Amino acid sequence: MSDDYPITQRNRIKRRHERGRYDKETVHAILDSALAAHISYVMDGQPYCTPTAFWREGEHLYWHGSSASRMIRFQGPGVPVCVTVMHLDALVLARSAFHHSVNYRSVMAFGTAHKVDDPAEKARALDGFVDRFYPGRSALLRPPSASEIKATTFIKMEIEEAAAKIRDTHVGDEDEDYELPIWAARYQVRQVVGEAEPCPRQHPDAQQPPPGMEAYRPGRTLDEIMTDTARYAEKA
Amino acid sequence: MSDDYPITQRNRIKRRHERGRYDKETVHAILDSALAAHISYVMDGQPYCTPTAFWREGEHLYWHGSSASRMIRFQGPGVPVCVTVMHLDALVLARSAFHHSVNYRSVMAFGTAHKVDDPAEKARALDGFVDRFYPGRSALLRPPSASEIKATTFIKMEIEEAAAKIRDTHVGDEDEDYELPIWAARYQVRQVVGEAEPCPRQHPDAQQPPPGMEAYRPGRTLDEIMTDTARYAEKA
């Protein structure tokens, strides 16, 4: 297996190509540190872009939805999609409008989405979807009913091409502009997960977070938690 | 002017329609609390989805980029786009896999993107883009050079249709499942902006944040700050 995605017209980073990365390690790390992606697809020439939770298994991305949803029904037979993930990491205020920027880690992944038809693969996905975010949780839940399974469709996409783009530096001004008495700065942005708020109708025998929730320590960022839980899921 | 967007095949919320909203106040509030949107467009039948900073003025959305970028060059002549914004607000862990969810506020806005050609409108956009995020900042900066202006293209889209979708509740389980001793909970997610980190090459006469940065108090969320600064920009 190559360590890099092929570079084609579709995924080549044209602007700021020094920010582009095509190695699978970088692409996977950005995907695995996210809970949600924006999935775009085309119906009758019109683009649609739907944010949804997703996860990666090797070179495949999965997402799911109601079997009756527009996106899911449309994607079932197999359609080209673009899956985009973006982490906003900082705001960057330069000395000129032109060099204002943000720090980010993003991925665009291209492939063909289609429905998961194989019952065994669907059964794995039903558990996998929960366990990827909350390790071991599927075994603790009330099992899915036949109607819930029927009402849920999983979509799968093999990553045919992908590219990552990263900006992770400080202010980058024109050399002569550093002489100007203009305030320039960076503000970090972090997506922080709070403490567990138990369901108000909690059963008295279920007062504590079960094993598997160790990654969810208060004050951690969502991308740290997602990265940890993706690693647990890979080992399981 | 109607207070609601028209409901068509394109923007109708089909699943979980109780979460859907078409009033402009709700749609605008979600757009104005965001720095970045995911913009999807179609080239040769292939969907692309690019995350980028954007802002709203009335019923128009603006974004910008390098005049040489693929997205910007392609959108210049006028193409259908979908602009999606999503705020992730909480993770919701239910007693069944089926009712696991997230809280979110999202908008899908549809329209035709095209290049801003009018020089006066482009000049306004050059300042407006900075001032929308950092009120009053454009007047403090080194003015843009002719080549910077040429290298920057602004894209504008009138919102033809839009829909918001919101989930903002706690765990929602099947009635009989509340009797089960299964731990269920919600975790709030907040996108927090840190303290200003001055540029390491700061000029000694520019040691303090200038007026206009009052919204950027440490610990505030990005959506609070974006909402505040959007209001300043509207008044200016």
Side-chain angles (χ1 to χ4, degrees):
Chain A
M1 188 181 83
S2 165
D3 294 335
D4 292 304
Y5 289 106
I7 303 176
T8 70
Q9 273 301 101
R10 194 161 59 163
N11 69 329
R12 187 200 309 276
I13 306 281
K14 294 191 177 58
R15 291 301 301 171
R16 298 281 188 181
H17 56 82
E18 74 283 3
R19 296 182 185 168
R21 306 275 288 274
Y22 303 93
D23 62 288
K24 291 182 178 177
E25 190 180 347
T26 299
V27 169
H28 291 177
I30 292 171
L31 293 172
D32 292 352
S33 59
L35 180 138
H38 282 70
I39 298 179
S40 58
Y41 54 102
V42 189
M43 286 199 298
D44 296 330
Q46 168 71 49
Y48 293 83
C49 175
T50 301
T52 196
F54 80 105
W55 79 107
R56 181 182 70 85
E57 283 182 28
E59 290 303 321
H60 290 91
L61 305 181
Y62 289 85
W63 55 95
H64 82 324
S66 160
S67 302
S69 93
R70 175 167 68 182
M71 173 174 87
I72 296 294
R73 278 184 299 132
F74 180 73
Q75 292 175 348
V79 295
V81 295
C82 171
V83 176
T84 300
V85 163
M86 196 264 286
H87 302 279
L88 177 67
D89 291 329
L91 316 178
V92 180
L93 287 69
R95 292 161 180 85
S96 60
F98 193 72
H99 288 294
H100 277 64
S101 190
V102 296
N103 282 353
Y104 59 89
R105 290 160 289 151
S106 69
V107 161
M108 286 171 74
F110 299 97
T112 304
H114 59 84
K115 191 176 155 190
V116 172
D117 281 318
D118 176 52
E121 188 178 7
K122 182 169 176 181
R124 273 200 302 118
L126 277 159
D127 287 347
F129 180 57
V130 172
D131 292 335
R132 179 266 174 270
F133 300 112
Y134 314 112
R137 184 163 177 79
S138 69
L140 308 173
L141 298 175
R142 186 263 292 154
S145 69
S147 66
E148 286 173 347
I149 294 172
K150 194 176 166 196
T152 306
T153 294
F154 287 88
I155 302 286
K156 177 184 185 176
M157 180 199 102
E158 185 179 0
I159 305 174
E160 295 166 5
E161 292 151 30
K165 204 167 176 183
I166 298 172
R167 187 192 193 279
D168 60 1
T169 53
H170 214 301
V171 174
D173 267 313
E174 300 295 324
D175 272 343
E176 61 271 25
D177 288 345
Y178 289 99
E179 306 299 317
L180 300 170
I182 298 170
W183 184 79
R186 179 175 70 181
Y187 290 86
Q188 308 266 9
V189 178
R190 300 168 78 238
Q191 201 168 26
V192 176
V193 178
E195 294 190 45
E197 302 172 318
C199 175
R201 297 173 66 182
Q202 194 80 278
H203 188 285
D205 292 347
Q207 294 292 356
Q208 296 294 328
M213 297 302 294
E214 292 80 4
Y216 288 77
R217 295 188 294 278
R220 294 191 86 199
T221 61
L222 186 64
D223 60 356
E224 290 168 336
I225 295 171
M226 289 296 108
T227 299
D228 279 3
T229 52
R231 284 197 200 116
Y232 301 152
E234 263 184 8
K235 280 183 209 153
Chain B
M1 188 182 81
S2 165
D3 294 333
D4 292 305
Y5 290 106
I7 303 175
T8 70
Q9 272 301 99
R10 194 161 59 164
N11 69 330
R12 187 199 309 276
I13 306 280
K14 293 189 177 59
R15 290 301 300 171
R16 298 279 188 181
H17 57 83
E18 75 283 2
R19 296 182 185 168
R21 306 275 288 275
Y22 303 93
D23 62 288
K24 291 182 178 178
E25 190 181 346
T26 299
V27 168
H28 291 177
I30 292 171
L31 292 171
D32 292 353
S33 59
L35 180 139
H38 282 71
I39 298 178
S40 58
Y41 54 103
V42 188
M43 287 200 299
D44 297 328
Q46 169 70 49
Y48 293 83
C49 175
T50 301
T52 195
F54 81 105
W55 78 106
R56 181 182 70 85
E57 283 182 28
E59 289 302 320
H60 290 91
L61 305 182
Y62 289 85
W63 54 96
H64 82 324
S66 161
S67 302
S69 92
R70 175 168 66 181
M71 174 174 87
I72 296 294
R73 279 185 298 135
F74 179 73
Q75 292 175 348
V79 295
V81 294
C82 172
V83 177
T84 300
V85 164
M86 196 266 285
H87 302 280
L88 178 66
D89 291 328
L91 315 179
V92 180
L93 287 68
R95 293 162 180 83
S96 61
F98 193 72
H99 288 294
H100 277 63
S101 190
V102 296
N103 282 355
Y104 59 90
R105 290 161 289 150
S106 69
V107 161
M108 286 171 74
F110 299 97
T112 303
H114 59 83
K115 192 177 155 190
V116 172
D117 281 320
D118 176 53
E121 187 178 8
K122 181 170 176 179
R124 273 201 302 119
L126 277 158
D127 287 347
F129 181 58
V130 172
D131 292 335
R132 179 267 174 269
F133 300 111
Y134 314 112
R137 184 164 177 80
S138 69
L140 309 173
L141 298 174
R142 188 263 291 155
S145 69
S147 65
E148 286 174 347
I149 293 171
K150 194 176 167 199
T152 307
T153 294
F154 287 87
I155 302 285
K156 177 183 185 177
M157 180 199 101
E158 184 179 1
I159 306 174
E160 296 166 6
E161 293 151 31
K165 204 168 176 184
I166 298 172
R167 187 192 194 278
D168 60 1
T169 53
H170 214 300
V171 174
D173 266 313
E174 301 296 324
D175 271 343
E176 61 272 24
D177 288 346
Y178 288 100
E179 306 300 318
L180 300 170
I182 298 171
W183 184 78
R186 180 175 69 182
Y187 290 88
Q188 307 267 7
V189 179
R190 300 168 76 239
Q191 201 167 27
V192 176
V193 179
E195 294 190 46
E197 301 172 318
C199 174
R201 295 173 66 181
Q202 194 80 278
H203 188 285
D205 292 346
Q207 294 292 355
Q208 296 294 327
M213 297 302 294
E214 291 80 4
Y216 288 77
R217 294 189 295 279
R220 294 190 86 200
T221 61
L222 185 64
D223 60 356
E224 289 168 337
I225 295 172
M226 290 297 108
T227 299
D228 279 4
T229 52
R231 285 197 199 116
Y232 302 150
E234 264 184 8
K235 282 183 208 153

